[in-house]
Amino acid sequence: MGQIEWAMWANEQALASGLILIMGGIVATAGQFTKWYFGVYSIGAGVFVCLLEYPRGKRRKGSTMERCGQKYMTKVLKVFGPLTRNYYIRAFLHLGLSVPAGFLLATILGTACLAIASSIYLLAAVRGEQWIPIEPKPKERPQVGATIKHPPSNPPPRPPAEARKKPSEEEAAGAVGVSGGPQENPVPVIDEVV
Amino acid sequence: MGNWVVNHWFSVLFLATWLGLNVFLFVHAFLSYEKADKYYYTREILGSALAWARASARCLNFNSMLILLPVCRNLLSFLRGTCSFCRRTLRKQLDHNLTFHKLVAYMICLHTAIHIIAHLFNFEHYSRSRQATDGSLASILSTLSHQEKGEGSWLNPIQSPNMTVEYVTFTSIAGLTGVIITIALVLMVTSAMEFIRRSYFEVFWYTHHIFIIYFIGLGIHGTGGIVRGQTEESLNESHPHRCAESFKHWDDHDSHCKHPRFEGLPAESWKWILAPGVLYIFERILRFYRSQQKVVITKVVMHPSKVLELQMNKRGFSMEVGQYIFVNCPSISYLEWHPFTLTSAPEEDFFSIHIRAAGDWTENLIRAFERQQSQIPRIEVDGPFGTVSEDVFQYEVAVLVGAGIGVTPFASILKSIWYKFQRADHNLKTQTAGHAALNFDKATDILTGLKQKTSFGRPMWDNEFSTIANAHPRSVVGVFLCGPQTLAKSLSKRCHQYSSLDPRKVQFYFNKENF
C-alpha cells in the first residue's frame, strides 16, 4: 500500500460529495422543504467544493490524466498558493463545509460523503502529500518520419541460449514470415542459425 | 458496418433485453402503486412520490440481483465450457462481463438517486400532514396510530408533530440502512473510477468489498414495513371509493365506514438477492479451493526492463491461446488477486506469465523473486479464464499488433502457431503471421524467443497495410490489436481504407479485444 496517493481518491470522493450536496440542495429548495434554506447553502457549498476539486493534482509517479478543461481552474487554484496546496487545510475546510448541510435530511448524505472525503484528505496530509498543479506542456508538432527513431549502432544482445525456448525456431520465423516494414535498418541484423 | 453487426449483434440484443426489463419493471411497479386501491390513502398523503420510490426500488432489486453475476468468473467459465456448441460470438460476450457489471452499477446509481429523491419528498409530505391542523383527510390519516395504540395500524411513520424527519430517518430500520448502504455505494463508485482503479488498484479492490455491507443492508432495508397499505380486511369493510369522502364521519358509530387499517409491506429485496448471493459465496469458495491446489514453479526468468517470467505447473490445468489467469502471492498480500495473460502455448508442458513492474504488488513480487532465496514465494493460481482467441487461426493472413505488455496474448498465439506448424495441424488456416512489437525496450523478443528481424521505431501503418495488400491480393486478413484506444481507431480506419471494394480481393477485418 506504500505507493497509494490517498489524495487522489479523496479528490474523487470530494467531487462526488459536491455533486450530492448540489442535488440534495436542489431537491430541498425546489420542494420547499422545512428548513429549505439549508438546501440553498448546500447548493452553494456543493458548487464551491466541485470547483475546488475539479482540477486533479499531479501524481508523484507516472502520468496524470487531466479532467476535461481543468486548466482554467488550475490557474485559479495556483493563485491561492499554500491554501490550495496543503491538504490539512482542505481536510478541515471540507469538514467545516459539511457541518451545516447535516441539519437537513436532503443534504445529510452530502455531509457524510464530504466528511469521509475530509478524513481521507487528512490521511493524505499526514503522509505528506501535496496538491501539485498539472502544467500545460508545450505542443510539439510531429514531423513526418520523425517517429522513426535512430536505431542503436550495435545489434542488441541476445539472451543466453537457455532463455530462448527452442533454438530451432528460426524455421518458424522463415515459415511464419514477417510483414515487411518500411524502415531501413542501417546496420544489418544478423539472424543466427544455430 | 456489416462487420460490426456480425460481431456485436448479441451484445445489442442482450443490452436491449436488459434495458427493456428495467423499463417494464419500473412501469409495472409505478402503475401498480399509482392505481391500486390498497394505496389510495397512502397516496392521499404522499402523491406520486410513492410510486416513483417503489418503482425505482423494484429496479434496484433487479439490478442488485444482476450485479453479482458477471463477477462470478468461475461460473462464467463453466457456462463457456458447457456452451461449446454455441457460436463463438455468443461465448465472446461472456468476456464483456465487467462492462456489463459497470453498466448495471450505473443503473443502480441512477435508481438510487430517484429512490432517495422520491423518499425525501415522501418524508416531507408525511411530516407536513402530521403537523397539519386543517382537518384534511391527510391529517386525519396521519393521526391514526394514536387511536389504536399497540395495533400498529398506523399509516404515517411520524408519530408526533414534534418529530423531525431526520429523527425518523435515523431511528427507523429503512432510514438507517438506507443511509449506510448509500454511503457504501458512493465509496464503491468513487474508488472504482478508472483513474483510481488503474493507478491504485489496492484502494479499489479493498474498498469494493464494502459490497457485503451493501447487500446485507439491502436485505434488511425493507423489513421495517414503513411502506403501508390498507389491509385486505379493511378494504372489504371500508373501501376508499366508498368511504374516502366521508372521512369526517369515521368516528360516528352509525357510519358504514370505519377507520382504515394499514399494514406494512413485507420486505422483498431478499428474494431477489438471495440466489445470486449464494452463487457468489459459492464462487468465492471455489476460487479459494482452486487456489489451494499446488502450483509448482518450474522456472523463473528475470528479463530486462523489469519483466519477470514465471513458468509453472498445476495439476489438471489446461489452457487455450489468449486466456488469462489470476495470481495471488500470500507472502505479499493474502487478499489480492491480479490478472495476467498466459504467454505460453497450450502445446507446451508448462504455463507461463510475464509480469511487468507496474505498481505495489507487481514490484513486491519481482523483488521477492529477485532475492533468489532457497524458498521461492508460494503462488496461487485461479483460471484460466477468457474466450479462446481461435479467431486468429481462422484467417489466412493475421496481423497481430501489441503495444507494450499488450504483446503477451500474441506471444501465446505465435508460439502455438509454431507448434501447429511443427505438428502439421491441418486445421490451421494461417499461413502467414506478422508480429509488430511496438516500442519495446529491447529489440530481442524476450517473450517467445522466436528469432525475427527487429525493426525499430513506430510503424507507418499506411505503408504496412499497402504492403500487406500487395503481398496478399486475394486473402482475408485479420488484424488483431491488444493496445490503446487511439491505436484501435487508427487501425480500424486503415482496415476500412485498404479493404478492397471487390469482395474477392483483399479484405481486412479488424478485431479489437481485451484479451
Side-chain angles (χ1 to χ4, degrees):
Chain A
M1 295 271 216
Q3 291 181 37
I4 295 176
E5 290 180 60
W6 295 99
M8 296 291 151
W9 182 28
N11 171 267
E12 300 281 340
Q13 179 70 17
L15 195 58
S17 312
L19 292 170
I20 295 173
L21 278 171
I22 295 176
M23 262 200 333
I26 291 178
V27 168
T29 314
Q32 289 285 292
F33 289 179
T34 328
K35 300 188 282 180
W36 61 273
Y37 36 88
F38 280 112
V40 178
Y41 163 81
S42 181
I43 298 175
V47 168
F48 175 73
V49 166
C50 282
L51 286 175
L52 174 65
E53 297 293 340
Y54 190 71
R56 200 177 261 148
K58 197 154 173 281
R59 283 174 66 191
R60 267 191 301 223
K61 247 173 67 164
S63 59
T64 319
M65 231 169 46
E66 273 191 20
R67 293 205 177 100
C68 182
Q70 79 169 41
K71 53 183 194 257
Y72 306 106
M73 272 316 292
T74 311
K75 284 203 203 102
V76 175
L77 289 192
K78 265 166 55 175
V79 166
F80 288 95
L83 281 181
T84 42
R85 224 178 20 238
N86 187 305
Y87 283 142
Y88 279 109
I89 296 183
R90 261 197 222 203
F92 287 110
L93 175 68
H94 285 325
L95 193 61
L97 284 174
S98 67
V99 167
F103 289 101
L104 180 63
L105 182 62
T107 53
I108 215 168
L109 185 67
T111 300
C113 292
L114 193 57
I116 293 177
S118 156
S119 55
I120 308 175
Y121 264 130
L122 190 62
L123 177 61
V126 160
R127 284 169 45 88
E129 294 177 31
Q130 278 209 332
W131 185 82
I132 303 165
I134 301 180
E135 305 289 349
K137 275 196 295 266
K139 268 198 165 170
E140 296 169 28
R141 299 215 132 258
Q143 288 141 27
V144 177
T147 53
I148 301 173
K149 299 190 182 57
H150 253 305
S153 47
N154 293 320
R158 293 282 180 185
E162 83 224 24
R164 279 174 281 166
K165 279 316 301 145
K166 305 271 183 276
S168 56
E169 270 170 13
E170 77 279 6
E171 296 164 13
V176 166
V178 176
S179 62
Q183 296 88 0
E184 286 293 311
N185 292 329
V187 179
V189 176
I190 307 152
D191 286 343
E192 306 157 67
V193 176
V194 173
Chain B
M1 177 66 195
N3 195 15
W4 186 89
V5 169
V6 163
N7 280 331
H8 291 98
W9 69 271
F10 187 77
S11 293
V12 174
L13 185 63
F14 185 79
L15 286 177
T17 311
W18 170 66
L19 280 172
L21 277 171
N22 269 296
V23 169
F24 168 74
L25 286 168
F26 191 94
V27 171
H28 183 261
F30 188 91
L31 290 175
S32 145
Y33 281 88
E34 188 71 352
K35 303 282 181 207
D37 294 330
K38 187 172 158 114
Y39 302 104
Y40 183 94
Y41 290 120
T42 322
R43 282 197 300 275
E44 191 58 39
I45 303 182
L46 298 178
S48 290
L50 169 71
W52 280 98
R54 297 307 307 155
S56 55
R58 180 77 49 92
C59 287
L60 278 172
N61 284 335
F62 175 60
N63 286 298
S64 299
M65 172 184 81
L66 289 181
I67 200 161
L68 280 178
L69 299 176
V71 288
C72 293
R73 50 177 189 251
N74 281 301
L75 167 71
L76 295 178
S77 279
F78 173 72
L79 278 177
R80 197 182 285 115
T82 43
C83 201
S84 49
F85 55 85
C86 291
R87 296 195 40 198
R88 208 175 41 254
T89 14
L90 283 169
R91 278 181 283 144
K92 275 222 280 249
Q93 303 318 315
L94 294 172
D95 285 344
H96 301 145
N97 55 341
L98 287 183
T99 313
F100 185 59
H101 180 84
K102 288 178 215 169
L103 278 175
V104 174
Y106 287 133
M107 191 61 104
I108 288 182
C109 290
L110 172 68
H111 282 295
T112 303
I114 298 176
H115 187 77
I116 293 178
I117 293 176
H119 273 318
L120 284 172
F121 276 100
N122 284 338
F123 267 359
E124 186 66 20
H125 289 151
Y126 268 142
S127 177
R128 281 189 203 159
S129 9
R130 193 68 190 85
Q131 291 168 358
T133 46
D134 54 1
S136 62
L137 176 57
S139 69
I140 302 278
L141 289 168
S142 300
T143 56
L144 278 178
S145 60
H146 305 299
Q147 315 249 329
E148 288 129 55
K149 260 267 178 305
E151 274 201 20
S153 179
W154 45 274
L155 174 59
N156 193 327
I158 303 184
Q159 299 292 328
S160 82
N162 299 328
M163 220 186 255
T164 59
V165 292
E166 289 85 13
Y167 179 83
V168 177
T169 304
F170 286 99
T171 51
S172 62
I173 296 178
L176 190 58
T177 50
V179 173
I180 293 175
I181 64 180
T182 311
I183 294 177
L185 181 69
V186 171
L187 283 173
M188 277 197 276
V189 169
T190 55
S191 62
M193 290 279 109
E194 180 105 21
F195 176 63
I196 303 288
R197 211 172 66 234
R198 295 226 184 272
S199 320
Y200 316 106
F201 190 79
E202 286 92 359
V203 171
F204 156 70
W205 178 246
Y206 288 117
T207 313
H208 225 66
H209 282 82
I210 299 180
F211 76 87
I212 300 172
I213 298 180
Y214 175 83
F215 276 97
I216 295 176
L218 184 63
I220 301 174
H221 188 63
T223 55
I226 202 173
V227 179
R228 317 279 292 177
Q230 202 172 355
T231 60
E232 193 68 40
E233 194 194 320
S234 180
L235 270 174
N236 290 332
E237 199 178 60
S238 332
H239 198 276
H241 288 166
R242 266 191 306 120
C243 298
E245 315 269 285
S246 56
F247 64 90
K248 291 197 212 290
H249 303 289
W250 283 343
D251 275 327
D252 304 346
H253 39 253
D254 61 346
S255 105
H256 295 292
C257 294
K258 309 259 197 333
H259 286 284
R261 289 223 255 284
F262 298 95
E263 59 185 358
L265 220 58
E268 70 173 56
S269 296
W270 66 269
K271 296 181 198 163
W272 293 84
I273 60 177
L274 186 61
V278 166
L279 265 173
Y280 186 76
I281 292 174
F282 186 64
E283 154 83 23
R284 290 299 284 249
I285 294 176
L286 188 60
R287 280 189 210 174
F288 178 73
Y289 169 72
R290 285 176 86 169
S291 71
Q292 292 304 102
Q293 291 165 332
K294 197 157 159 60
V295 172
V296 177
I297 300 179
T298 52
K299 197 158 172 188
V300 176
V301 185
M302 232 13 236
H303 289 289
S305 60
K306 284 212 125 192
V307 174
L308 170 73
E309 176 184 351
L310 290 177
Q311 293 181 7
M312 299 170 271
N313 261 320
K314 190 174 163 205
R315 213 160 54 145
F317 186 91
S318 83
M319 62 164 281
E320 301 288 339
V321 286
Q323 292 198 301
Y324 59 94
I325 53 170
F326 275 83
V327 174
N328 172 304
C329 187
S331 56
I332 297 178
S333 167
Y334 272 114
L335 296 177
E336 292 176 41
W337 287 84
H338 295 261
F340 294 96
T341 314
L342 290 161
T343 46
S344 55
E347 290 88 354
E348 291 169 317
D349 54 6
F350 60 87
F351 61 95
S352 72
I353 51 174
H354 281 67
I355 302 169
R356 184 174 67 92
D360 275 353
W361 189 87
T362 38
E363 293 208 358
N364 285 330
L365 186 76
I366 290 175
R367 207 173 305 132
F369 276 94
E370 257 176 350
R371 264 183 258 138
Q372 290 185 352
Q373 300 153 323
S374 51
Q375 271 278 71
I376 36 177
R378 188 168 74 94
I379 294 276
E380 296 175 355
V381 161
D382 191 14
F385 303 104
T387 301
V388 173
S389 314
E390 305 161 326
D391 290 359
V392 178
F393 303 123
Q394 306 302 320
Y395 290 92
E396 295 164 29
V397 181
V399 178
L400 313 172
V401 183
I405 202 68
V407 303
T408 40
F410 301 122
S412 173
I413 292 170
L414 285 177
K415 285 201 259 191
S416 184
I417 291 178
W418 183 83
Y419 278 106
K420 286 184 175 17
F421 267 128
Q422 221 199 14
R423 296 173 194 179
D425 184 346
H426 294 291
N427 289 334
L428 180 65
K429 269 196 194 153
T430 314
Q431 291 162 16
T432 317
H435 182 191
L438 285 104
N439 298 328
F440 232 138
D441 281 343
K442 297 286 186 284
T444 36
D445 193 343
I446 59 177
L447 285 185
T448 63
L450 290 173
K451 291 206 213 325
Q452 56 181 16
K453 204 158 69 171
T454 47
S455 312
F456 296 102
R458 214 178 285 175
M460 305 225 280
W461 294 116
D462 286 313
N463 291 349
E464 298 282 349
F465 273 81
S466 54
T467 315
I468 296 172
N470 289 333
H472 308 276
R474 257 172 254 286
S475 306
V476 176
V477 181
V479 178
F480 294 84
L481 168 73
C482 184
Q485 188 61 18
T486 37
L487 190 51
K489 284 203 192 91
S490 168
L491 287 177
S492 167
K493 201 175 73 166
R494 258 57 171 243
C495 285
H496 284 134
Q497 217 176 327
Y498 286 91
S499 290
S500 161
L501 290 167
D502 185 346
R504 294 169 304 174
K505 299 229 178 82
V506 68
Q507 295 293 318
F508 287 90
Y509 286 111
F510 179 65
N511 295 277
K512 181 195 181 293
E513 296 178 16
N514 291 331
F515 281 95

